Amino acid sequence: MNWHDQVCLITGATGGIGKQIARQLSARGATLILHGRNEVKLRALLNELNNQRHCSVIADLTTEEGRNTIFHTVKQIGGLTMLINNAGVSGFGMFEQSNINQVERVITTNLTSTIALTLQLLPVLKKQGQSYLVNVGSVYGSIGYPSQALYCASKFGLKGFTESLYRELSGSGTNVMYFAPRATETSINAGEASALNDALGTAVDSPEWVAGELVKQIEKQQPRKTLGWPERFFVKINAVFPSIVDSALVKQLPVIKRYANFSVSEAK
Ligand SMILES: NC(=O)c1ccc[n+]([C@@H]2O[C@H](COP(=O)([O-])OP(=O)(O)OC[C@H]3O[C@@H](n4cnc5c(N)ncnc54)[C@H](OP(=O)(O)O)[C@@H]3O)[C@@H](O)[C@H]2O)c1
């Protein structure tokens, strides 16, 4: 792949993983449209990357106005070859403690808005001979995990959406990919979520490494990629013998409840 030919929109480019994707793609020569909600963070990233071809767009993905702003920015710079749907929020906490605002926030941000933005930008991508649509899911898009019901609902949905689209767009020139990291050291895992990972001894990857794996996936044009061992193994076992994973996770439940028995996080 010639990265110098790529014009790439990264949603959530100001976040832990998004920023690392931006750094690595910029270093390879891609032209970037950096998306986020925070002007200060976006300007700092643009300054750091120091490339006149890059630009940024401030928009709340959950609003039609925000998605239209992104669409017009893409049009202004003359199109797009790659869309990386990376923005997302956590829904950590026991389901019974959540309220409808939190349900809507997680599902709307992680799933509905991502689908809506893709719907708007797919015709722009398809104008290119070769284009790329990369959806950042999660291991929790394949394993239902206690204390992650809302997040799992959103990421299972995203995985199904991506798989359908991969098959639907086969041979069209638009390459569709699903990327599933495991726990990664970013602010999405702040507070009790991070404490739970420590208590369970869950491996946590660096966002820099995770972004590098995403870049490799795109270069190899792998339709699906799940990170981490034993997570990759559990994803496969869960698909074939879910009762084995039921037992393993139910054993963790007392520890999970100790950290997740509060209202679903509003902050992230
Ligand atoms: N960290 C992990 O353990 C992990 C594991 C598996 C998958 N993932 C996935 O990786 C992706 C990146 O997560 P991260 O860990 O880098 O989290 P992060 O550091 O919290 O970054 C999330 C990014 O999404 C943006 N965002 C959130 N809601 C938005 C909205 N309504 N409109 C526009 N932008 C919005 C944030 O912008 P603001 O700065 O304005 O909030 C931020 O740039 C997510 O899809 C996440 O589900 C993460």
Side-chain angles (χ1 to χ4, degrees):
M1 156 176 292
N2 187 350
W3 282 106
H4 289 268
D5 293 340
Q6 302 303 320
V7 180
C8 174
L9 167 62
I10 305 169
T11 69
T14 51
I17 295 173
K19 198 188 292 181
Q20 294 295 338
I21 298 171
R23 285 179 179 149
Q24 296 188 29
L25 294 192
S26 181
R28 281 168 170 75
T31 299
L32 303 181
I33 306 171
L34 304 167
H35 157 264
R37 285 181 298 190
N38 184 311
E39 190 177 354
V40 175
K41 285 191 205 168
L42 268 178
R43 201 174 312 124
L45 183 58
L46 264 183
N47 286 343
E48 178 201 316
L49 299 179
N50 192 24
N51 183 326
Q52 298 305 315
R53 284 181 291 123
H54 299 341
C55 69
S56 65
V57 54
I58 303 163
D60 184 341
L61 273 183
T62 61
T63 67
E64 195 177 347
E65 187 191 354
R67 293 190 299 273
N68 284 341
T69 303
I70 296 174
F71 180 76
H72 291 306
T73 305
V74 166
K75 282 287 194 187
Q76 257 170 15
I77 81 154
L80 198 64
T81 64
M82 186 180 296
L83 167 59
I84 302 181
N85 282 314
N86 164 72
V89 291
S90 159
F92 178 65
M94 302 308 279
F95 175 67
E96 285 174 87
Q97 311 279 349
S98 52
N99 61 45
I100 190 62
N101 293 335
Q102 290 151 348
V103 173
E104 281 172 358
R105 180 174 157 275
V106 176
I107 303 297
T108 305
T109 309
N110 295 358
L111 184 59
T112 320
S113 304
T114 302
I115 293 173
L117 185 69
T118 304
L119 187 62
Q120 220 165 350
L121 290 177
L122 190 54
V124 183
L125 286 173
K126 287 190 80 178
K127 282 194 177 144
Q128 310 294 330
Q130 282 287 312
S131 60
Y132 303 87
L133 168 63
V134 185
N135 289 335
V136 179
S138 168
V139 163
Y140 290 153
S142 300
I143 297 175
Y145 196 84
S147 76
Q148 297 282 2
L150 301 182
Y151 188 74
C152 285
S154 69
K155 294 293 185 178
F156 267 71
L158 186 64
K159 180 168 181 278
F161 170 66
T162 313
E163 191 167 274
S164 298
L165 218 51
Y166 169 75
R167 291 168 182 169
E168 191 171 314
L169 295 177
S170 165
S172 72
T174 301
N175 300 282
V176 180
M177 300 177 214
Y178 180 76
F179 178 65
R182 63 178 178 181
T184 308
E185 203 178 344
T186 71
S187 58
I188 218 172
N189 282 321
E192 296 299 293
S194 168
L196 174 60
N197 285 335
D198 289 347
L200 292 173
T202 305
V204 180
D205 295 320
S206 79
E208 188 176 5
W209 180 78
V210 170
E213 291 301 304
L214 174 72
V215 174
K216 279 191 225 161
Q217 178 183 5
I218 298 170
E219 287 174 339
K220 290 183 185 163
Q221 301 193 19
Q222 286 173 268
R224 313 171 172 83
K225 185 167 185 173
T226 302
L227 298 185
W229 185 266
E231 286 79 359
R232 274 204 314 276
F233 176 67
F234 271 109
V235 164
K236 289 200 189 310
I237 293 288
N238 197 48
V240 189
F241 302 114
S243 58
I244 295 176
V245 181
D246 291 343
S247 311
L249 295 186
V250 166
K251 277 189 200 136
Q252 293 185 349
L253 198 51
V255 181
I256 293 171
K257 280 185 174 167
R258 217 182 303 143
Y259 291 90
N261 219 353
F262 61 90
S263 298
V264 171
S265 154
E266 285 286 3
K268 272 286 170 190

